[in-house]
Amino acid sequence: MAPGKVLGAMLGLAVGLLIGGPLAIVLLIISGLVVGHLVDELNLLPSGTPENLPKPDTRSPQELAAQDHFARHLCALFIEVARADGDVVRDEVRVVREYFEDRLKYGPEALGLVRRYLKEHIARPPSLEHAAAACRDELSTAERLLLLDALYGLALVDGNLHRAEQDTLRRVSQGLGLSEEEFRSVTARHFGDGQVHYARLGLTPEASDADVKRAFRQLAATHHPDRVANLGKGAVEQASRRFQEIREAYEEILRLRGR
């Protein structure tokens, strides 16, 4: 029986017993059932009924662990990048929280971990080399590229990339074990120029056709959304956008070369 009807019947019974008489009890129970039905139909019961309870977290332990690692490492490296041009400010902390919530689709429980990691790293700034080494050891190449791309976006929150931030990002890239071509490819996504299509593949216009094909195949395989599926829907969406940009850059280079 629906919760509203149960509550209505119980109230009707209680009032009927107070008034006395079998007929009064029966009539009040029926009235309670009718009112309870209307309450159920109008969804007037307070939150906490089965319909309003939060849906259980259906992520596997492996997915939860992967997201936890990614959050911890990204928060550590973000703090280092943010500190490159001075103290970490409130807007920067807000932006990294929004990044996890809006871009990576982290729920309330995972966002609680993000807040905890940010507080810990602000109080005791981690070693950039240590945080980058942990990422290199625990994350795949696709996940490390996704992390570097996120750090670029966060560093550009004020519209400018200071020299100290740029140097820090390069140190992060090296600590992550990424190649110079991979670093240039991520950089080009945020700083396009007339050669943006080549830069997105980590190349220059002087690259041979074989170099272009090799770079495309390598980047397409590395950035395939399936490689970050364990980080959740938000990471897959971000990787899909990156994958599409790489494909479009390759197709544009082929068009420019008459292929």
PDB file of all heavy atoms in Angstrom, residues 105-117:
ATOM      1  N   LYS A 105      31.452  15.115 -14.232  1.00  0.00           N
ATOM      2  CA  LYS A 105      30.172  14.598 -13.735  1.00  0.00           C
ATOM      3  C   LYS A 105      30.326  13.863 -12.390  1.00  0.00           C
ATOM      4  O   LYS A 105      29.676  12.845 -12.158  1.00  0.00           O
ATOM      5  CB  LYS A 105      29.535  13.638 -14.762  1.00  0.00           C
ATOM      6  CG  LYS A 105      29.484  14.179 -16.188  1.00  0.00           C
ATOM      7  CD  LYS A 105      28.664  15.448 -16.294  1.00  0.00           C
ATOM      8  CE  LYS A 105      28.573  15.905 -17.751  1.00  0.00           C
ATOM      9  NZ  LYS A 105      27.904  17.207 -17.893  1.00  0.00           N
ATOM     10  N   TYR A 106      31.181  14.371 -11.524  1.00  0.00           N
ATOM     11  CA  TYR A 106      31.326  13.771 -10.201  1.00  0.00           C
ATOM     12  C   TYR A 106      30.087  14.079  -9.372  1.00  0.00           C
ATOM     13  O   TYR A 106      29.586  15.192  -9.375  1.00  0.00           O
ATOM     14  CB  TYR A 106      32.560  14.328  -9.497  1.00  0.00           C
ATOM     15  CG  TYR A 106      33.845  13.598  -9.824  1.00  0.00           C
ATOM     16  CD1 TYR A 106      34.100  13.143 -11.119  1.00  0.00           C
ATOM     17  CD2 TYR A 106      34.807  13.365  -8.859  1.00  0.00           C
ATOM     18  CE1 TYR A 106      35.281  12.483 -11.428  1.00  0.00           C
ATOM     19  CE2 TYR A 106      35.988  12.705  -9.161  1.00  0.00           C
ATOM     20  CZ  TYR A 106      36.213  12.272 -10.443  1.00  0.00           C
ATOM     21  OH  TYR A 106      37.375  11.609 -10.750  1.00  0.00           O
ATOM     22  N   GLY A 107      29.612  13.079  -8.622  1.00  0.00           N
ATOM     23  CA  GLY A 107      28.470  13.254  -7.751  1.00  0.00           C
ATOM     24  C   GLY A 107      28.867  13.823  -6.399  1.00  0.00           C
ATOM     25  O   GLY A 107      30.039  14.090  -6.140  1.00  0.00           O
ATOM     26  N   PRO A 108      27.893  14.002  -5.498  1.00  0.00           N
ATOM     27  CA  PRO A 108      28.151  14.614  -4.183  1.00  0.00           C
ATOM     28  C   PRO A 108      29.239  13.908  -3.381  1.00  0.00           C
ATOM     29  O   PRO A 108      30.084  14.545  -2.767  1.00  0.00           O
ATOM     30  CB  PRO A 108      26.796  14.526  -3.488  1.00  0.00           C
ATOM     31  CG  PRO A 108      25.799  14.482  -4.603  1.00  0.00           C
ATOM     32  CD  PRO A 108      26.455  13.704  -5.697  1.00  0.00           C
ATOM     33  N   GLU A 109      29.217  12.569  -3.374  1.00  0.00           N
ATOM     34  CA  GLU A 109      30.209  11.832  -2.586  1.00  0.00           C
ATOM     35  C   GLU A 109      31.613  12.049  -3.124  1.00  0.00           C
ATOM     36  O   GLU A 109      32.561  12.309  -2.371  1.00  0.00           O
ATOM     37  CB  GLU A 109      29.873  10.343  -2.579  1.00  0.00           C
ATOM     38  CG  GLU A 109      30.804   9.515  -1.702  1.00  0.00           C
ATOM     39  CD  GLU A 109      30.386   8.054  -1.658  1.00  0.00           C
ATOM     40  OE1 GLU A 109      29.279   7.738  -2.120  1.00  0.00           O
ATOM     41  OE2 GLU A 109      31.179   7.249  -1.148  1.00  0.00           O
ATOM     42  N   ALA A 110      31.773  11.971  -4.454  1.00  0.00           N
ATOM     43  CA  ALA A 110      33.083  12.169  -5.061  1.00  0.00           C
ATOM     44  C   ALA A 110      33.545  13.613  -4.897  1.00  0.00           C
ATOM     45  O   ALA A 110      34.733  13.875  -4.691  1.00  0.00           O
ATOM     46  CB  ALA A 110      33.037  11.794  -6.541  1.00  0.00           C
ATOM     47  N   LEU A 111      32.616  14.581  -4.967  1.00  0.00           N
ATOM     48  CA  LEU A 111      32.971  15.981  -4.776  1.00  0.00           C
ATOM     49  C   LEU A 111      33.444  16.230  -3.348  1.00  0.00           C
ATOM     50  O   LEU A 111      34.273  17.120  -3.106  1.00  0.00           O
ATOM     51  CB  LEU A 111      31.781  16.882  -5.105  1.00  0.00           C
ATOM     52  CG  LEU A 111      31.429  17.001  -6.590  1.00  0.00           C
ATOM     53  CD1 LEU A 111      30.148  17.809  -6.767  1.00  0.00           C
ATOM     54  CD2 LEU A 111      32.570  17.668  -7.363  1.00  0.00           C
ATOM     55  N   GLY A 112      32.913  15.460  -2.400  1.00  0.00           N
ATOM     56  CA  GLY A 112      33.397  15.569  -1.028  1.00  0.00           C
ATOM     57  C   GLY A 112      34.867  15.208  -0.931  1.00  0.00           C
ATOM     58  O   GLY A 112      35.636  15.841  -0.198  1.00  0.00           O
ATOM     59  N   LEU A 113      35.283  14.189  -1.702  1.00  0.00           N
ATOM     60  CA  LEU A 113      36.694  13.813  -1.739  1.00  0.00           C
ATOM     61  C   LEU A 113      37.531  14.921  -2.357  1.00  0.00           C
ATOM     62  O   LEU A 113      38.639  15.206  -1.899  1.00  0.00           O
ATOM     63  CB  LEU A 113      36.873  12.517  -2.539  1.00  0.00           C
ATOM     64  CG  LEU A 113      36.365  11.233  -1.888  1.00  0.00           C
ATOM     65  CD1 LEU A 113      36.508  10.069  -2.860  1.00  0.00           C
ATOM     66  CD2 LEU A 113      37.129  10.942  -0.607  1.00  0.00           C
ATOM     67  N   VAL A 114      37.009  15.550  -3.410  1.00  0.00           N
ATOM     68  CA  VAL A 114      37.726  16.650  -4.062  1.00  0.00           C
ATOM     69  C   VAL A 114      37.976  17.775  -3.063  1.00  0.00           C
ATOM     70  O   VAL A 114      39.083  18.317  -2.969  1.00  0.00           O
ATOM     71  CB  VAL A 114      36.936  17.162  -5.283  1.00  0.00           C
ATOM     72  CG1 VAL A 114      37.545  18.460  -5.816  1.00  0.00           C
ATOM     73  CG2 VAL A 114      36.907  16.105  -6.375  1.00  0.00           C
ATOM     74  N   ARG A 115      36.939  18.155  -2.316  1.00  0.00           N
ATOM     75  CA  ARG A 115      37.098  19.220  -1.328  1.00  0.00           C
ATOM     76  C   ARG A 115      38.142  18.850  -0.271  1.00  0.00           C
ATOM     77  O   ARG A 115      38.955  19.680   0.139  1.00  0.00           O
ATOM     78  CB  ARG A 115      35.757  19.517  -0.661  1.00  0.00           C
ATOM     79  CG  ARG A 115      34.784  20.285  -1.537  1.00  0.00           C
ATOM     80  CD  ARG A 115      33.578  20.760  -0.749  1.00  0.00           C
ATOM     81  NE  ARG A 115      32.724  19.636  -0.361  1.00  0.00           N
ATOM     82  CZ  ARG A 115      31.733  19.183  -1.102  1.00  0.00           C
ATOM     83  NH1 ARG A 115      31.475  19.733  -2.279  1.00  0.00           N
ATOM     84  NH2 ARG A 115      30.981  18.178  -0.681  1.00  0.00           N
ATOM     85  N   ARG A 116      38.117  17.577   0.148  1.00  0.00           N
ATOM     86  CA  ARG A 116      39.079  17.129   1.156  1.00  0.00           C
ATOM     87  C   ARG A 116      40.504  17.189   0.616  1.00  0.00           C
ATOM     88  O   ARG A 116      41.421  17.671   1.295  1.00  0.00           O
ATOM     89  CB  ARG A 116      38.745  15.698   1.583  1.00  0.00           C
ATOM     90  CG  ARG A 116      39.531  15.253   2.824  1.00  0.00           C
ATOM     91  CD  ARG A 116      39.289  13.791   3.104  1.00  0.00           C
ATOM     92  NE  ARG A 116      40.119  12.953   2.249  1.00  0.00           N
ATOM     93  CZ  ARG A 116      39.992  11.636   2.139  1.00  0.00           C
ATOM     94  NH1 ARG A 116      39.019  11.009   2.797  1.00  0.00           N
ATOM     95  NH2 ARG A 116      40.791  10.939   1.363  1.00  0.00           N
ATOM     96  N   TYR A 117      40.701  16.738  -0.625  1.00  0.00           N
ATOM     97  CA  TYR A 117      42.038  16.758  -1.209  1.00  0.00           C
ATOM     98  C   TYR A 117      42.547  18.184  -1.398  1.00  0.00           C
ATOM     99  O   TYR A 117      43.728  18.465  -1.168  1.00  0.00           O
ATOM    100  CB  TYR A 117      42.051  16.018  -2.549  1.00  0.00           C
ATOM    101  CG  TYR A 117      41.880  14.530  -2.426  1.00  0.00           C
ATOM    102  CD1 TYR A 117      41.083  13.819  -3.323  1.00  0.00           C
ATOM    103  CD2 TYR A 117      42.501  13.813  -1.406  1.00  0.00           C
ATOM    104  CE1 TYR A 117      40.918  12.455  -3.218  1.00  0.00           C
ATOM    105  CE2 TYR A 117      42.344  12.446  -1.290  1.00  0.00           C
ATOM    106  CZ  TYR A 117      41.548  11.774  -2.197  1.00  0.00           C
ATOM    107  OH  TYR A 117      41.385  10.419  -2.080  1.00  0.00           O
TER     108      TYR A 117
END
